[in-house]
Amino acid sequence: MRHHVEILDAKTREKLCFLDKVEPHATIAEIKNLFTKTQGKSLKDEDVLQKLPVGTTATLYFRDLGAQISWVTVFLTEYAGPLFIYLLFYFRVPFIYGHKYDFTSSRHTVVHLACICHSFHYVKRLLETLFVHRFSHGTMPLRNIFKNCTYYWGFAAWMAYYINHPLYTPPTYGAQQVKLALAIFVICQLGNFSIHMALRDLRPAGSKTRKIPYPTKNPFTWLFLLVSCPNYTYEVGSWIGFAIMTQCLPVALFSLVGFTQMTIWAKGKHRSYLKEFRDYPPLRMPIIPFLL
Amino acid sequence: MAAASATAVAKGNGGGGGRAGDASGTRKKKGPGPLATAYLVIYNVVMTAGWLVIAVGLVRAYLAKGSYHSLYYSIEKPLKFFQTGALLEVGIVPSSVVLTSFQVMSRVFLIWAVTHSVKEVQTEDSVLLFVIAWTITEIIRYSFYTFSLLNHLPYLIKWARYTLFIVLYPMGVSGELLTIYAALPFVRQAGLYSISLPNKYNFSFDYYAFLILIMISYIPIFPQLYFHMIHQRRKVLSHTEEHKKFE
């Protein structure tokens, strides 16, 4: 005879869980498992009630995620900031540098080039947010917008301050260094965009399907042979290029912090690919070919 | 904020699984294995001994000199050694990693980046203020960990750890702030740890401004840590009272 087991909270006497179909010879340990399992991973919108591992009486747990904000809103805000802020420094708006420098222009070509690159980078991000990316989740916690904007806007201001400073020192190896850095930057920006397009094409509009990404005809996507998240690889590359171009330590630090964060994300993504797909290509590393 | 240890209590004082009738199973805490326990006990005993050496050193120097000024020099080396050694305990002791590393980093900062680096403050009385606060706190804290690991924690130690901070914490914070404040003019004068434009890294850093920011940061941080300890005190000391009632 199967038993119904009711589990109450010891302090509040609140009904926490109702388990039916419990075998009479089940141990307390097994009952504990049943209880924690029913509280496990959150259900998806697409899940069908019949297919869930519950009895004839299903108890669904509601968890308030707190105030939410849409991903698109967060992305647009966090990217618009650096675009705008950098320009404030580039145009040497008053109260940043000494008054005699207000609205003056740098005499170094690389400074103008850097402004173009930085602005291009964030315009690209804004356009991708609006037209390219297909988001799995609609929203994220509201506090993220404050955290993210502080990060992006803060670093943008810090970098821009030095690059556009009247006492800025151009790269040690001159035009050669700038040309090389620019090439790295452009290649990585193209690469990053190519990956974003390839990922978009993996997923039909309005769907949330997940498939293994593979290289396409576009040579920039061939990096998929070696890494799970080549978009992050190219992104790090872009910032390294920008750091070499400007020879500015804050840019290098920003690249390092970004690299650390993207590595964490890449490892997570790589792990979920491995969990979801039995036939995931074994050669691939999360973010750096063969290494990381 | 570096004066007292801001920490979470080790649940169940080392050991003890779920009790009968506790269906959620969340109170289980895996103790460290025998080898890890031995390492931890040795570490905590050594640290307790180290801070006792510092305490004794201070007392002897005071008695020898007849004054409490400039006692820093008599315990400079063991202080640097044992406080820096505490870096080893991040992630090892039963307190939260964030809080522990924060505390250790701020202590190490004060020892090396302020007191050691700015020789002129070494004769300040404020240094003695935080050294005393740290010394008493650490002797109690490391004994607490030692006894907890051996499953034989005298109530006195537990009481001391969760009560003395009420005085020691503000005392230590005062000593730290006064020391940093005393260091400021010398940092400004020598341009210590500062780099200005132009330079080929296109970077600048003003250590004087940085120290002022550090001092300001005490304002939001110290109350949080202090009230966290007060909260812990209520939890830990009342919990023990309940236990005593049923014994």
Side-chain angles (χ1 to χ4, degrees), chain A residues 7 32 35-36 158 161-162 165 167-169 172 246-250, chain B residues 18-19 21-25 28 197-205:
Chain A
I7 302 180
K32 279 190 194 178
F35 174 60
T36 50
W158 197 39
Y161 174 76
Y162 290 108
H165 200 284
L167 296 176
Y168 171 77
T169 309
T172 310
T246 55
Q247 199 169 294
C248 177
L249 185 59
Chain B
R19 291 177 302 185
D22 179 13
S24 68
K28 255 199 298 269
L197 294 176
N199 60 71
K200 66 177 172 179
Y201 300 113
N202 292 302
F203 176 69
S204 66
F205 182 70

Side-chain angles (χ1 to χ4, degrees), chain A residues 85-105:
Chain A
I85 289 170
Y86 192 100
L87 292 172
L88 291 177
F89 288 88
Y90 176 74
F91 289 114
R92 294 188 182 156
V93 147
F95 299 102
I96 298 177
Y97 307 111
H99 280 304
K100 67 175 179 183
Y101 296 113
D102 291 349
F103 297 118
T104 55
S105 180

Side-chain angles (χ1 to χ4, degrees), chain B residues 96-110:
Chain B
S96 106
V97 176
V98 172
L99 285 178
T100 318
S101 53
F102 183 76
Q103 162 146 317
V104 174
M105 290 312 302
S106 67
R107 294 267 191 101
V108 167
F109 177 79
L110 238 120

